[in-house]
């Protein structure tokens, strides 16, 4: 997170500094060529800033650069007053001033993928700012080459025609909306979706959706995915054949939620969930994106939903243990279908230890708040060295949010270097980086491993299904109270924060495994006691039940339900 701020600050300083320098050099010195070159550099910096800060306002800098380019062009031509260049200047400065408002207006338009609709206006509007930066670069290069002014005018008119078409279409949509909504709404009404998956989250969170898409498709009913952030439209639509709709405004959400819908599923406690929960004709069901003993897994906000699908009875106990009072009838134990492909290992007692085990290590992220920081990366090197000393092959799979924290990113880089060096020295096929996080799924990592070392996270619940041993890091320093706060650790082995007991724990984890029998009872409590061959069907049956023809709208929600979250509040992921 701090690293992102540093990149944004550098981009801001470069854009502003180069724009000022370009204008100063052109306006106050005779070095016109250098000034135009600096203008091109300022435009490149502005383009980079828009990549690291998509909502960046570079109007002032762009105006300065445009003025510098136009003055420089006039000097290079050295032909006195040029009416063509004057018209170019008026059109160019108009584009600079209008590109931002048109882009913002386009961003308020509903967009969709996997639907047979044409939506050129939002797409063109989103690129207008970049088009103006490119146009200024072309004009600057034309000035450097001393090309006739009509070349710059022609390029300006081409971009201006696109901007004009966008402006006219946006105005038509605002003042003369089509009957029955826009093209997206009409297409959805034709498709008649019966349920939706609603999603709002910070960047990099698409895994919360993609883990559920295969099971929503297996329900066998038409559905759609509703997104509230535009960056998810590409990756989510690529992971499903169902329509995916980006709704930037409440008006757009009204258009997407067509009358055929009966159920809305959610995968987190994002603040914008409240925008959809207000539709009382729907049954609102929280799925979560993992099951863990983390504090956010017993979020009081769960009370706003009509139903809460949980993996096992332990999740219901977790709410009660946290003092969150939610009526029992809201909970449905449906298992966690994502574990169905995990291979179960039931080894008999007395099985000799594996001399070269494969250990999966899954450090979590630091969380939004100090009391939810379970990240073991600061002591990860001690752990990995102990594993390597025992001849273990390590699969290092970090949380997707790890790189948001610069310190965590540095720790992860150090662990990667350590594994790479050991791999080169010993030939052990450690897995890390993209190979562990993108090329392999979590299920594949679980199936390849013999044991797990994890922080408090939902990975432990998934791993529990395999029946294989696991260790949990106590990074909150709870000591004897750790298992009381995080009961899932009771069927594993607890690593102290200072790693003082790492050798003792690894002996139990990789050799003696005294908690083997206790894990099976814990497995039923956390993941439900369902037959392996029909495990996912429990969720599918429960979901279909809420879509049956006899379905009726839910009754009024209890007045005791927790208040809806502030739309400005940060999302608190579960895993």
């Amino acid at each position: 997170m701090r690293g992102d701020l540093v990149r944004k600050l550098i981009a801001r300083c470069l854009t502003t500094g180069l724009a000022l320098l370009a204008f100063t050099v052109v306006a106050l010195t005779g070095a016109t060529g250098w000034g135009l070159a600096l203008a091109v550099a300022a435009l490149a910096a502005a383009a980079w800033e828009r990549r690291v800060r998509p909502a960046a306002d570079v109007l002032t800098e762009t105006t300065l650069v445009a003025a510098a380019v136009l003055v420089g062009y006039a000097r290079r031509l050295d032909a006195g007053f040029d009416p063509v260049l004057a018209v170019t200047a008026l059109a160019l400065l108009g584009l600079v001033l209008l590109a931002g408002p048109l882009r913002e207006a386009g961003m308020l338009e509903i967009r969709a993928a996997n639907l047979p609709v044409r939506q050129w206006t939002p797409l063109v509007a989103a690129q207008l700012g970049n088009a103006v930066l490119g146009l200024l670069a072309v004009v600057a290069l034309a000035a450097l080459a001393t090309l006739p002014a009509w070349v710059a005018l022609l390029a300006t008119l081409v971009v201006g025609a696109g901007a004009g078409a966008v402006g006219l279409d946006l105005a038509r949509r605002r003042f003369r909306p089509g009957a029955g909504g826009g093209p997206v709404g009409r297409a959805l009404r034709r498709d008649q979706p019966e349920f939706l998956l609603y999603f709002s989250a910070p960047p990099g969170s698409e895994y919360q959706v993609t883990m559920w898409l295969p099971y929503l498709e297996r329900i066998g009913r038409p559905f759609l995915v509703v997104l509230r952030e535009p960056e998810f439209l590409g990756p989510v639509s690529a992971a499903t054949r169902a329509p995916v709709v980006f709704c930037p405004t409440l008006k757009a959400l009204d258009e997407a939620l067509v009358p055929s819908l009966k159920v809305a599923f959610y995968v987190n406690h994002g603040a914008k969930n409240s925008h959809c929960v207000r539709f009382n004709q729907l049954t609102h069901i929280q799925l979560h994106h993992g099951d863990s003993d983390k504090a956010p897994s017993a979020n009081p906000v769960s009370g706003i939903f009509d139903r809460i699908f949980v993996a096992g009875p332990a999740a219901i106990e977790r709410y009660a243990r946290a003092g969150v009072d939610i009526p029992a009838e809201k909970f449905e134990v449906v298992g966690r279908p994502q574990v169905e492909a995990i291979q179960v290992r039931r080894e008999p007692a007395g099985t000799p230890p594996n001399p070269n085990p494969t250990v999966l290590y899954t450090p979590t992220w630091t969380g939004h708040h100090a009391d939810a920081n379970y990240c073991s990366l600061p002591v990860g090197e001690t752990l990995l060295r102990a594993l390597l000393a025992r001849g273990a092959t390590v699969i290092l799979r970090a949380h997707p949010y790890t790189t948001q924290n610069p310190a965590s990113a540095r720790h992860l880089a150090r662990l990667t270097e350590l594994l790479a060096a050991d791999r080169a020295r010993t030939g052990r096929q450690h897995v890390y980086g993209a190979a562990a996080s993108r090329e392999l799924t979590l299920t594949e990592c679980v199936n390849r491993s013999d044991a797990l070392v994890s922080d408090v996270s939902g990975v432990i619940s998934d791993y529990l299904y395999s029946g294989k041993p696991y260790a949990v890091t106590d990074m909150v320093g709870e000591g004897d109270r750790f298992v009381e706060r995080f009961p899932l650790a009771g069927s594993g082995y607890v690593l102290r924060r200072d790693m003082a007991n790492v050798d003792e724990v690894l002996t139990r984890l990789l050799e003696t495994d005294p908690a083997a029998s206790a894990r099976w009872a814990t497995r039923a409590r956390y993941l439900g006691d369902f037959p392996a061959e029909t495990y996912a069907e429990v969720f599918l049956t429960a979901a279909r039940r809420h879509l049956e023809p006899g379905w009726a709208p839910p009754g009024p929600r209890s007045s005791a339900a927790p208040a809806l979250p502030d739309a400005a509040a940060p999302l608190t992921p579960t895993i």
Side-chain angles (χ1 to χ4, degrees), residues 304-392:
I304 68 175
F305 301 102
D306 299 304
R307 294 289 185 274
I308 305 167
F309 280 12
V310 294
I316 304 174
E317 298 166 9
R318 187 181 301 129
Y319 281 93
R321 191 168 60 250
V324 179
D325 185 15
I326 294 178
E329 60 269 18
K330 284 197 172 189
F331 292 101
E332 291 189 40
V333 175
V334 300
R336 178 160 166 75
Q338 288 82 2
V339 304
E340 66 171 345
I342 291 178
Q343 298 167 3
V344 179
R345 183 183 299 178
R346 291 179 178 269
E347 293 185 347
T351 300
N354 185 346
N356 301 111
T358 297
V359 178
L360 173 61
Y361 174 40
T362 58
T364 191
W365 69 305
T366 54
H368 284 300
H369 308 288
D371 61 352
N373 182 0
Y374 309 109
C375 179
S376 66
L377 282 171
V379 296
E381 185 171 348
T382 302
L383 170 64
L384 287 197
R385 289 190 181 278
L387 287 169
L388 296 178
R390 289 175 177 258

Side-chain angles (χ1 to χ4, degrees), residues 67 70-71 101 124 163 174 220 269 290 319 332 433 469 478 518 537 551-552:
L70 290 167
V71 171
V124 174
R174 291 288 187 277
H269 289 108
Y319 281 93
E332 291 189 40
E478 287 287 340
E537 286 298 323
W551 168 89

Side-chain angles (χ1 to χ4, degrees), residues 58 73 76 276 351 362 437 451 510 518-519 566:
V58 294
Y73 209 151
R76 299 282 287 187
C276 190
T351 300
T362 58
S437 60
L510 303 177
R519 279 197 300 275
D566 186 345

